[in-house]
Amino acid sequence: MPISQSQGKLVGVEPIKDVVMMEDHNEAYFTWQRMGKRDKILLHIDAHIDFAWIDIKDPYQILEEAKSVNEVKRMLEMSILWEQFGKKRESLVNIGNYLYPALRDGIVREVYWVIPGDSKQKITKRENKMIKNIIKRLMKKNPKGSEPVEIKDNCITTRIYGKKFTACRLPDLPRIQEEVLLDIDTDFFVLESILSNNDLIKERRPWFFPEELVEYLKRKEIRTNLVTIAYSVEGGFTPLRYKYLGDELKEILKNTQLEGDFRKITHHRKQADIHRLEGRIDDAIYEYENLLKLKPDDASGCYNLSSLYLEKGLIDKASLFYKKAIKIDPTYRTAYNNLGRLYERNGKLGQAKNEYNKILKLDPEDANAHCGLGSIFSKNKMWDKAIVEYERAIKLSGDDFSAHYGIGYVYIRQGKWDEAKKEFKKCVELDSLNSVAHYWLGFIYSKIEDETLAIQEYNRAIQTGWSDRLAVVVRLLTLTLHNGTFYNVIEAFKRVINLLPKILIFQLRQTLYFTLHLRKG
C-alpha cells in the first residue's frame, strides 16, 4: 500500500524544509535526538559505516551483569570512571560511532547503508569480504551475540544490536514504504568504493554528483522530512575543493526547480575541474572567474581560484581570493586546506613543509599551518624552531590542543619533565578523553617517580580508548608489579597476555606486506 503524503516529502519532487548541514557527522545523532525522532528507518549514504561500539555501561547495568565483586571492579575499570559517567557519556559519541547510540536509544530501528560504486556493477567479492569483516568485528563486541550474514539480490543483510542492517548500492536499494531519516556524507561523491578509503586525498575527485543521487532517490520514491548532510573535510575524507558538493546537494533538496544561474554555476564548476585535472590551468581559472561573476560570495569558487593562482605562482591574486574565501566561510581556514598533513602522514616531510609555507604566504595568521611547521621541525629534531611555531599557533588561536601537545612532546624528548607535565596537563584540560595525552602524562609521572599518579594516568589512557595498545599495558604492568596489590598485578598481566596475539598478528602482517613489496621492487 502506497505511503501517504503526510509521511514525508518525495525526494526530488517536493522541497524538503529541514536539511541540516554539519562538518562532523556525529552531529546527525544530536539532530535526530533534538527533533524527537523515534523508531525510524535510516538511509545512510556514506563511504563509511560510522558504527562502532561505545564501550561504556551504566553503573546499574554493571551491577546487574557482574557475577562477582572482582568482575564489578574489572568492568568499571574498562568503562569510564563511575563519577564521570553522567557528564561524559554524550561526549563519547563521535564520527565513527554515532549510529550505535541511535540504535541503542530507539531513534533508529533499521539501517540501510548505501555504499558508493558504479551503479552498473554488483558489489565485488572484495567489497563483500570487507563488509563481512566490518560486521564480524562489530559482532565481537555485540552484547546480543553474533547474527548470520546473508547475501541476496546484491544486498548484504544481518542484524546489529538486534536491529536489521542492510548494505547495498543505490540500484539495489528497495522501495521503502515509509518516511526515512536521510543521512548523507559528502565523501560518498569522491570515494567510488569503500575500498578507496585509504587512497590519497590528492587523487580523490567526484565520481558521482548530487543531482544524480537525488534522481536515484526520486526513482526509488524515497520520502523524508529530515536530511542530515556532513561535509567531512576535517580528517581528510572530503577534499576541501569539493566541499561545495554538500552545499549543492542541500540546494537541490530544498529547491527542486533550480534552473538558470544554478545550472550555469554547476556547469562552470565541472568544466573548471576537468581543465584542472588535465593541466589546463588558465582554462580552469576562466571558468571560476565566470562562476564568481554569477555568484561573487561563493566561498568554494574563491578557494579554488586561489589554489589555481597559487599553482601559477601569482601569490598576490591567490592571497586575495583565499582571504575572500575565509571571510565568506571561516571554515575554509582549516588544517585540511592544503596537502601538508597528507605528505607528513606519508613521511614526505620536505613536501609537507612546502605546503605549510604556501598557506602562510596566503595567510600568515593560519594557526594550523604554524602547527604543521612545528610538527615538521619536531620530526627533524629542530626543537627550538618547533617550539617557536607551536607558540605562534597558540598565540593566533588561543589554547590549541595540538600545539600544547607538540610543545609537551618536545620537552619530553629534551627530558624537561616539569615543563612537559605542564603542557600535557593543559592537553587533558582541553580534552579530558584524549587517551594519548593521558598516556604521556603517565609516562612523565613515571619519570619523576610519582608511581601512583603514573598508574592513574595509564588507567585513564586505557579507559579512554587505549585498551589495545601494548605500550601502555606493559608500562602499567611494570608499575603495578612494583606498587600494586596482587589482584591489580593479575589484571594488568591479563591485559598483556590478551594483547600479545593481536600484536604478533600485526607484526606478521607488516613483515609479509614489506616482503611482498620488496619483491615487487
Side-chain angles (χ1 to χ4, degrees):
M1 184 175 72
I3 58 180
S4 68
Q5 295 290 326
S6 63
Q7 287 183 290
K9 303 294 185 181
L10 186 61
V11 174
V13 177
E14 300 172 281
I16 299 167
K17 179 184 175 183
D18 291 321
V19 181
V20 182
M21 307 300 294
M22 60 201 65
E23 169 53 42
D24 296 327
H25 212 156
N26 53 294
E27 288 301 317
Y29 164 73
F30 297 110
T31 300
W32 303 330
Q33 192 180 57
R34 186 173 62 252
M35 297 185 75
K37 298 299 180 180
R38 299 290 300 171
D39 201 35
K40 295 293 185 182
I41 292 177
L42 174 66
L43 186 51
H44 177 66
I45 301 175
D46 196 336
H48 304 86
I49 190 172
D50 293 349
F51 191 111
W53 298 106
I54 300 175
D55 292 325
I56 181 168
K57 295 177 184 289
D58 189 297
Y60 295 106
Q61 184 182 355
I62 289 174
L63 291 172
E64 287 175 3
E65 293 181 7
K67 297 176 181 177
S68 66
V69 173
N70 282 346
E71 194 169 350
V72 169
K73 189 172 187 297
R74 180 184 62 79
M75 291 171 77
L76 282 171
E77 285 176 348
M78 294 306 293
S79 187
I80 295 300
L81 294 177
W82 208 355
E83 67 274 11
Q84 293 180 326
F85 179 84
K87 62 182 179 181
K88 298 296 184 185
R89 183 169 181 146
E90 296 306 319
S91 65
L92 293 175
V93 178
N94 60 45
I95 61 172
N97 66 21
Y98 68 94
L99 293 190
Y100 165 67
L103 289 174
R104 177 198 65 199
D105 297 348
I107 294 171
V108 173
R109 76 167 193 276
E110 182 177 352
V111 177
Y112 285 92
W113 176 27
V114 178
I115 66 171
D118 189 338
S119 61
K120 297 176 184 177
Q121 295 181 359
K122 292 184 175 182
I123 295 177
T124 66
K125 288 183 178 179
R126 286 184 65 204
E127 287 172 325
N128 266 328
K129 184 177 179 181
M130 183 174 180
I131 293 169
K132 284 182 178 179
N133 285 339
I134 289 171
I135 293 169
K136 186 178 179 181
R137 286 197 298 271
L138 291 175
M139 292 305 180
K140 283 184 178 179
K141 295 184 177 181
N142 185 351
K144 294 185 179 295
S146 61
E147 299 276 355
V149 176
E150 298 179 357
I151 301 175
K152 185 179 180 182
D153 298 327
N154 206 33
C155 294
I156 299 171
T157 62
T158 186
R159 299 188 80 82
I160 296 179
Y161 199 61
K163 312 290 178 69
K164 187 178 178 183
F165 175 89
T166 303
C168 63
R169 287 222 174 101
L170 272 170
D172 304 303
L173 180 68
R175 280 180 168 75
I176 302 170
Q177 298 297 309
E178 63 181 270
E179 174 197 342
V180 303
L181 289 176
L182 183 54
D183 182 46
I184 304 165
D185 199 312
T186 306
D187 71 11
F188 179 86
F189 300 110
V190 296
L191 285 166
E192 55 186 323
S193 168
I194 56 172
L195 302 172
S196 305
N197 281 325
N198 293 322
D199 289 351
L200 296 180
I201 192 171
K202 189 177 182 180
E203 298 171 356
R204 295 180 185 175
R205 62 195 65 157
W207 67 275
F208 203 59
F209 288 90
E211 61 266 32
E212 295 176 278
L213 173 61
V214 172
E215 185 59 33
Y216 255 107
L217 297 176
K218 176 182 173 181
R219 290 204 297 269
K220 294 291 182 179
E221 298 180 352
I222 297 299
R223 287 185 176 273
T224 186
N225 281 316
L226 174 62
V227 185
T228 45
I229 302 173
Y231 292 116
S232 293
V233 170
E234 302 299 320
F237 303 105
T238 303
L240 186 58
R241 63 176 174 269
Y242 295 127
K243 181 180 180 179
Y244 74 85
L245 291 166
D247 297 318
E248 199 172 282
L249 177 61
K250 176 184 177 180
E251 289 300 310
I252 296 170
L253 290 168
K254 288 181 74 72
N255 306 284
T256 55
Q257 302 299 320
L258 286 167
E259 295 296 338
D261 284 354
F262 179 81
R263 298 297 175 193
K264 291 177 185 177
I265 288 168
T266 57
H267 174 75
H268 286 310
R269 285 196 211 280
K270 287 181 182 179
Q271 290 301 115
D273 202 45
I274 290 169
H275 292 318
R276 182 185 62 81
L277 291 170
E278 294 179 356
R280 298 191 296 273
I281 303 303
D282 289 333
D283 290 335
I285 288 173
Y286 174 78
E287 294 293 343
Y288 276 118
E289 286 175 338
N290 282 327
L291 184 157
L292 290 172
K293 287 176 184 176
L294 294 169
K295 191 179 180 184
D297 63 345
D298 188 274
S300 174
C302 290
Y303 170 77
N304 281 297
L305 189 54
S306 169
S307 298
L308 292 167
Y309 279 134
L310 185 61
E311 203 166 327
K312 285 181 66 70
L314 301 172
I315 303 298
D316 289 342
K317 281 190 172 183
S319 179
L320 174 68
F321 281 98
Y322 181 78
K323 287 175 181 175
K324 279 186 178 180
I326 61 176
K327 185 176 181 180
I328 296 165
D329 183 350
T331 65
Y332 275 79
R333 180 188 269 169
T334 165
Y336 293 90
N337 58 9
N338 64 86
L339 298 173
R341 287 201 172 189
L342 171 68
Y343 286 133
E344 190 177 344
R345 198 180 300 157
N346 287 277
K348 299 176 180 179
L349 301 186
Q351 288 166 281
K353 183 180 178 182
N354 289 338
E355 288 291 320
Y356 294 133
N357 279 322
K358 280 182 186 177
I359 288 296
L360 290 173
K361 285 179 182 177
L362 303 181
D363 182 12
E365 296 187 350
D366 190 310
N368 293 308
H370 283 295
C371 208
L373 278 181
S375 179
I376 299 300
F377 287 132
S378 179
K379 286 175 180 176
N380 286 319
K381 299 182 181 179
M382 301 169 73
W383 310 124
D384 291 341
K385 286 188 175 183
I387 287 177
V388 167
E389 293 299 333
Y390 286 134
E391 286 179 341
R392 282 176 181 167
I394 292 170
K395 186 176 179 180
L396 289 166
S397 65
D399 282 322
D400 182 283
F401 177 92
S402 297
H404 282 292
Y405 180 96
I407 294 173
Y409 180 74
V410 169
Y411 286 142
I412 284 175
R413 293 300 304 271
Q414 293 178 324
K416 297 178 179 179
W417 307 120
D418 288 338
E419 293 91 335
K421 181 177 71 172
K422 179 182 175 183
E423 296 299 325
F424 279 105
K425 286 184 81 171
K426 186 65 180 179
C427 287
V428 168
E429 183 183 314
L430 293 169
D431 182 2
S432 64
L433 295 178
N434 189 284
S435 54
V436 190
H438 285 297
Y439 169 80
W440 283 120
L441 260 183
F443 180 82
I444 292 162
Y445 282 128
S446 70
K447 289 294 182 181
I448 60 178
E449 298 183 352
D450 192 332
E451 294 183 352
T452 301
L453 286 177
I455 289 171
Q456 177 180 297
E457 291 301 330
Y458 283 140
N459 271 317
R460 283 177 177 167
I462 290 170
Q463 290 158 1
T464 53
W466 265 31
S467 59
D468 61 346
R469 301 298 179 104
L470 188 61
V472 67
V473 295
V474 167
R475 289 186 183 278
L476 184 58
L477 173 61
T478 304
L479 288 169
T480 308
L481 282 169
H482 186 259
N483 196 20
T485 64
F486 177 76
Y487 171 76
N488 288 334
V489 170
I490 295 299
E491 288 300 308
F493 187 71
K494 282 179 182 176
R495 283 177 180 153
V496 174
I497 296 299
N498 289 335
L499 275 180
L500 283 176
K502 293 181 184 179
I503 301 299
L504 291 172
I505 290 168
F506 174 77
Q507 293 293 346
L508 183 61
R509 283 178 177 171
Q510 290 289 95
T511 303
L512 184 61
Y513 174 84
F514 286 115
T515 302
L516 289 173
H517 277 68
L518 284 171
R519 285 180 179 175
K520 286 179 183 178

